[in-house]
Amino acid sequence: MTACPDKADLLQGLLDDELDAAHVRALEAHIATCPACAEAWAEMKALRALLGDPALRPEAPAALRARILMDIGAVPPLHAVSSRSWRAAPGLRRWWGAGVGAGVAIAASLLLMVGPFGGDSALEGEVVAGHVRSLQAQHLLDVPTSDHHSVKPWFAGKLDYSPPVPELAAAGFPLQGGRLDYMAGRPVAALVYRHGAHVLNLYIWPGDGPRQPDFEVRDGYTLMHWRDGDMAYWAVSDVMAEEMHAFATALTQAVMAQNTHKP
Amino acid sequence: MRGDETADRTRRFQDQVLIHLDAAYGLARYMTRDPVAAEDIVQDAFLRAHRAFDGFRGGDARAWLLTIVRNNVRSWAAARRDRAEQALESLPGQGAEIADEAAPTPEAWLAAQEDAADLRALIEVLPPAFREALLLREMEEMSYRDIAAVTGAPVGTVMSRLARARDLLATAWRRRNSGEAK
């Protein structure tokens, strides 16, 4: 039922606590005698009650708070990350540089078709947890260097396989270094890349996966998983899926180029 | 000492502005329907607020912050439109589609959670100007005057947007409930 036409605005003002005392009294007296307005008023209050549900109020993810605290200098920046690269990164650059972003996205879409994530939920959780851990524990890098020639040998004594370590700075993902992590019940290589203000962890170990990258958004992180040769790749970051996609594309191309240059 | 000044400024920023992080994130999340974009928008908004903090002369820090968030949301939406206009076929499974996350299986959810999820979805499909007014009023309990300040619209416009938002939402909610009863 609809309220008296001249009362609709007033009812809303009453609901929103925007009326002065005289109007409140007059309107309450009217509601008491007008069934149409009484019903409209009851509906408005019911909607208000529904909207009071705390489940409708999303909380900001802890990782976001951590990043902002770093941005404003309330906590020190991540270990082994130069403050210059951290601060020089306007988060909106990709929107305002949309031309570039779209170009990358088109290139990516030609090379890779992305399908929905089909996979292993426990492992996905492990990958996200590993990423979060790396950001929180100040243990992002065991070998902090942007020189992929020194990252690769560093892994040699620690793993029973040799992960490819491509440099992707040209694609906008400079290598930050590497780290040994533990994933899927084995020690694995974790490579750390940076994209603007975002950190990407790339886990590589011998294993299986889809030829075309699958991706999923989990707990606010973008996960991408694929196989190339006999290596399984898991990338995780808080970048947008489109950028993760660009990252996977650049990586696949770089690994391909490395393999062709091999004798 | 200079270091103390910086530390003091940082602390004041946290006390006055960072305490509104959830409000900023909530607004960005509902307006973009994309959790990842919402985080980027909010992070950037705080960077901007922090840079401009010396020029902030007191007053309502939340309204000030939410105005920045809102402008970022608009820039983001405009950039998305541009990209769409470049005849870029939307990549499979991207954008808003991922933002929706996997629809929860109904049996796994308690009735109350279903209500919240459905209501959230209904809020998210309100036209942006109505959605924005409703969020600032219902989630942030802002006055008409503050909503007008944040959205740059006259108070009368705020009121009619709110009324329209409530009408649409109440109607959609009734429809949902009667559909369910069948």
Side-chain angles (χ1 to χ4, degrees):
Chain A
M1 212 182 286
T2 37
C4 303
D6 63 322
K7 297 292 188 290
D9 280 357
L10 286 170
L11 284 172
Q12 179 163 269
L14 181 64
L15 184 74
D16 294 331
D17 213 7
E18 299 265 353
L19 295 187
D20 58 38
H23 277 97
V24 169
R25 272 196 307 276
L27 191 59
E28 281 173 350
H30 174 78
I31 292 171
T33 58
C34 171
C37 283
E39 191 182 333
W41 176 238
E43 277 178 5
M44 288 169 86
K45 282 200 296 190
L47 184 64
R48 164 65 54 83
L50 275 172
L51 291 170
D53 187 342
L56 294 175
R57 287 156 179 77
E59 268 177 39
L64 173 63
R65 183 183 299 272
R67 288 203 305 278
I68 293 169
L69 285 170
M70 274 184 263
D71 282 349
I72 65 172
V75 296
L78 289 174
H79 176 62
V81 169
S82 91
S83 58
R84 183 178 45 80
S85 69
W86 186 260
R87 278 167 214 282
L92 292 188
R93 192 179 47 196
R94 61 172 158 277
W95 301 327
W96 294 330
V100 177
V104 171
I106 292 168
S109 66
L110 294 177
L111 195 71
L112 304 170
M113 287 295 290
V114 175
F117 224 63
D120 177 348
S121 181
L123 190 51
E124 289 163 39
E126 234 182 296
V127 170
V128 170
H131 176 70
V132 173
R133 204 166 51 234
S134 78
L135 299 179
Q136 285 174 346
Q138 306 256 317
H139 183 64
L140 187 57
L141 303 172
D142 285 328
V143 46
T145 171
S146 59
D147 178 6
H148 60 285
H149 294 297
S150 57
V151 176
K152 198 171 168 67
W154 183 83
F155 282 121
K158 297 171 182 67
L159 294 169
D160 57 3
Y161 61 97
S162 175
V165 183
E167 173 54 62
L168 303 171
F173 300 92
L175 178 67
Q176 302 293 302
R179 184 181 77 244
L180 207 58
D181 217 317
Y182 200 79
M183 204 74 39
R186 60 168 303 154
V188 302
L191 300 180
V192 180
Y193 292 86
R194 191 162 275 287
H195 184 63
H198 304 272
V199 172
L200 287 95
N201 268 294
L202 174 69
Y203 297 100
I204 307 174
W205 68 85
D208 209 348
R211 294 285 304 160
Q212 306 293 349
D214 277 353
F215 79 87
E216 176 170 275
V217 174
R218 190 183 168 114
D219 301 336
Y221 293 100
T222 308
L223 271 164
M224 197 167 264
H225 171 46
W226 72 98
R227 174 174 63 86
D228 191 14
D230 47 11
M231 294 288 171
Y233 292 77
W234 285 86
V236 54
S237 177
D238 55 359
V239 299
M240 291 203 273
E242 195 172 284
E243 288 165 306
M244 189 60 101
H245 200 205
F247 174 73
T249 306
L251 188 80
T252 309
Q253 285 170 334
V255 171
M256 209 189 298
Q258 264 179 13
N259 290 343
T260 21
H261 290 143
K262 272 185 198 159
Chain B
M1 218 176 89
R2 178 122 191 91
D4 285 350
E5 263 172 46
T6 310
D8 179 56
R9 182 178 182 274
T10 303
R11 202 172 50 243
R12 276 189 297 116
F13 184 81
Q14 284 178 256
D15 291 348
Q16 294 174 34
V17 188
L18 192 59
I19 54 164
H20 302 301
L21 174 60
D22 285 342
Y25 179 72
L27 181 64
R29 175 83 193 248
Y30 271 107
M31 294 310 291
T32 60
R33 293 179 275 184
D34 179 337
V36 180
E39 283 198 42
D40 285 335
I41 282 170
V42 170
Q43 186 177 1
D44 183 82
F46 274 97
L47 261 176
R48 286 163 188 273
H50 187 249
R51 253 182 252 132
F53 189 48
D54 289 332
F56 175 63
R57 294 271 164 262
D60 189 346
R62 185 182 53 170
W64 178 64
L65 174 70
L66 293 183
T67 308
I68 301 174
V69 170
R70 176 182 186 271
N71 289 339
N72 277 358
V73 168
R74 286 167 63 90
S75 305
W76 172 84
R80 259 168 70 109
R81 266 196 306 277
D82 284 353
R83 265 179 289 171
E85 279 163 14
Q86 283 166 17
L88 175 65
E89 296 280 76
S90 74
L91 300 174
Q94 281 207 340
E97 288 156 58
I98 350 165
D100 290 343
E101 293 162 341
T105 50
E107 56 272 31
W109 281 68
L110 298 171
Q113 282 172 315
E114 273 182 35
D115 281 359
D118 284 356
L119 195 54
R120 203 159 50 218
L122 292 177
I123 295 170
E124 284 181 348
V125 297
L126 290 174
F130 300 162
R131 197 187 326 156
E132 180 177 76
L134 186 79
L135 291 169
L136 294 175
R137 178 56 224 162
E138 296 295 342
M139 307 292 164
E140 297 307 318
E141 298 179 15
M142 283 187 156
S143 67
Y144 293 167
R145 217 185 50 173
D146 284 350
I147 299 172
V150 169
T151 58
V155 169
T157 307
V158 169
M159 288 179 65
S160 59
R161 283 177 182 168
L162 257 180
R164 197 80 188 93
R166 284 169 168 154
D167 268 359
L168 287 171
L169 191 58
T171 307
W173 185 249
R174 266 197 306 274
R175 198 176 300 138
R176 176 258 192 197
N177 288 338
S178 63
E180 210 175 52
K182 266 171 212 164

